[in-house]
Amino acid sequence: MTTILALDLGTTAGWAMRLADGVIVSGTMEFRPGRFEGGGIRFLRFRSWLDHLEAGAKGIGTVYFEECRRHIGTDAAHIYGGFLAHLTAWCELKHIPYQGVPVGTIKRHATGKGNASKDMVISAMQARGFNPEDDNEADALAILSWAIDTEGGVR
C-alpha cells in the first residue's frame, strides 16, 4: 500500500494522508504571510511543508487535490493558482503522480449531493469516523475517501 496525500489548496490548506500502513492522519496548515513578509513566502512555506510531509511519510505515492474552477474573488483565484503551480511542479520534480478531483465529484461521493454545503461535507466525514476541525480538513478527508474508495477514479 502506498501513501496517498489529499489536499484542499488555499491559504488555510486542508490535508489528509493514508500512510503506507493504512493509518489516516489529517489536519490543516496555515500559509498566510506575516505583516512584514512578501506574498511569495506562503509558497516557499508550502513547498517546504510538502517536503516535510513526504519525509515524515517516508515517501508519497500519489497526490490528489480539489480542482477548483470558480473562485469567490480574484485574490482567491491567484492564490489557488500559485499553490497549484507549486504543487504540480513539486510532484513533477519528485516523480509523484497527481490528479485534480472536481468539487462536485468530491461532494457527491461524500454526501450523495454534488452541491452539498460545507456543513454537509463536515457531517459526512464525521459519519465516517473522522473529526475535522473545519471545512478545509473535511474537504481533504473527502478527497482522500474518494481516492481510496474509487482507486483514484481508475477501475
Side-chain angles (χ1 to χ4, degrees):
M1 186 179 314
T2 63
T3 297
I4 298 172
L5 173 61
L7 296 169
D8 177 31
L9 299 173
T11 298
T12 302
W15 64 275
M17 263 199 303
R18 185 195 65 194
L19 302 172
D21 62 4
V23 171
I24 294 176
V25 292
S26 64
T28 60
M29 185 68 181
E30 180 76 33
F31 296 106
R32 191 172 313 281
R35 182 174 175 193
F36 300 107
E37 296 174 325
I41 196 73
R42 76 176 79 227
F43 304 117
L44 294 175
R45 285 193 185 121
F46 178 65
R47 286 182 72 119
S48 175
W49 176 70
L50 289 171
D51 287 335
H52 174 78
L53 287 177
E54 181 192 30
K58 298 178 178 62
I60 294 173
T62 312
V63 173
Y64 295 94
F65 59 91
E66 184 178 69
E67 188 176 73
C68 295
R69 294 288 181 198
R70 216 173 42 161
H71 295 276
I72 302 291
T74 303
D75 286 346
H78 289 180
I79 290 167
Y80 173 82
F83 282 120
L84 181 58
H86 282 274
L87 174 64
T88 56
W90 181 84
C91 287
E92 293 287 350
L93 180 69
K94 303 282 186 168
H95 305 286
I96 299 170
Y98 57 91
Q99 179 181 334
V101 185
V103 174
T105 300
I106 297 162
K107 289 182 175 191
R108 192 173 309 102
H109 181 77
T111 69
K113 198 172 172 192
N115 64 348
S117 69
K118 292 177 186 294
D119 287 338
M120 290 171 74
V121 175
I122 291 170
S123 293
M125 292 304 98
Q126 289 170 336
R128 286 184 177 230
F130 299 111
N131 188 25
E133 74 177 55
D134 65 12
D135 61 288
N136 300 300
E137 185 177 357
D139 285 349
L141 286 162
I143 297 164
L144 181 63
S145 296
W146 174 86
I148 291 168
D149 293 350
T150 67
E151 298 173 14
V154 179
R155 292 226 166 180

